[in-house]
């Protein structure tokens, strides 16, 4: 039985498998989910009163003046209700990252779209940050995000071409 590759058939024109780049992005997204879970765990473990004391201690260490308004602001930021909201947001963020990672690992089209749109939304913010504070960290973050958008955008375009070829 002959294959398309030996006969010059359709297998010759099949695009290479995008599995490796998609899986690399999937691991990266899963890592972001793990980081969010660790942050949520650490914040939940510390609790609001300890976070307030920690923030005040750090401010004193770096020499930031803590007038009444700033202390009141720290207390509002790290009160129990705000901390609960932050924990919920971190858990939701982690869930989205894990769902996206699962979809990318299995090369699902919806995951490429979700990741590409999500990553592209950060580009203007990252460009502004690099413009305001040039340095290796904002440049690295921007470069990584551009690579993610490139990989996922290329996968989305590949999928659209395949779909158009099937329809036409």
């Amino acid at each position: 039985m002959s294959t398309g590759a030996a006969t010059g058939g359709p297998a010759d024109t099949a695009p290479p498998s995008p599995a490796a780049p998609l899986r690399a992005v999937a691991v990266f997204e899963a890592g972001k989910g793990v980081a969010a879970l660790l942050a949520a765990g650490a914040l939940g473990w510390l609790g609001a009163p300890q976070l307030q004391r920690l923030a005040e201690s750090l401010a004193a260490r770096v020499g930031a003046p803590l007038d009444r308004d700033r202390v009141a602001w720290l207390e509002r930021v790290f009160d129990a209700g705000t901390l609960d909201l932050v924990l919920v947001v971190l858990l939701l963020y982690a869930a989205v990252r894990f769902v996206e990672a699962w979809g990318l690992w299995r090369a699902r089209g919806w995951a490429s779209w979700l990741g590409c749109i999500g990553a592209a939304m950060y580009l203007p913010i990252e460009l502004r940050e690099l413009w305001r504070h040039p340095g290796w960290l904002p440049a690295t973050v921007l470069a990584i995000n551009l690579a993610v958008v490139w990989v996922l955008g290329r996968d989305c375009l590949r999928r659209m071409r395949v779909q158009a070829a099937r329809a036409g």
Side-chain angles (χ1 to χ4, degrees):
M1 188 167 207
S2 85
T3 63
T7 62
D12 287 341
T13 59
S17 171
L22 287 180
R23 287 191 168 187
V25 174
V27 169
F28 181 67
E29 294 301 324
K32 289 172 20 182
V34 168
L37 286 180
L38 290 173
L43 291 174
W45 179 72
L46 285 171
Q50 182 65 22
L51 285 171
Q52 289 172 347
R53 286 191 294 278
L54 182 63
E56 291 170 5
S57 172
L58 287 174
R61 247 195 193 147
V62 297
L66 283 178
D67 57 16
R68 225 180 231 172
D69 292 337
R70 289 191 179 138
V71 170
W73 180 82
L74 281 175
E75 288 173 352
R76 281 194 310 274
V77 166
F78 292 119
D79 75 356
T82 305
L83 182 58
D84 289 345
L85 178 62
V86 168
L87 294 176
V88 167
V89 168
L90 282 170
L91 293 174
L92 288 173
Y93 178 83
V96 169
R97 298 285 68 95
F98 289 137
V99 167
E100 180 184 348
W102 180 88
L104 289 172
W105 191 264
R106 288 173 170 66
R108 302 290 198 256
W110 57 264
S112 291
W113 281 103
L114 174 67
C116 188
I117 292 168
M121 288 182 355
Y122 289 110
L123 291 176
I125 298 165
E126 292 166 354
L127 284 168
R128 186 191 71 201
E129 194 62 26
L130 181 60
W131 180 262
R132 287 183 172 177
H133 307 285
W136 68 269
L137 183 59
T140 303
V141 170
L142 177 63
I144 290 170
N145 205 19
L146 283 170
V148 168
V149 170
W150 172 259
V151 167
L152 298 180
R154 192 177 62 181
D155 185 61
C156 291
L157 287 173
R158 181 189 63 81
R159 289 173 185 280
M160 288 184 341
R161 286 184 187 129
V162 168
Q163 190 175 22
R166 287 181 184 158

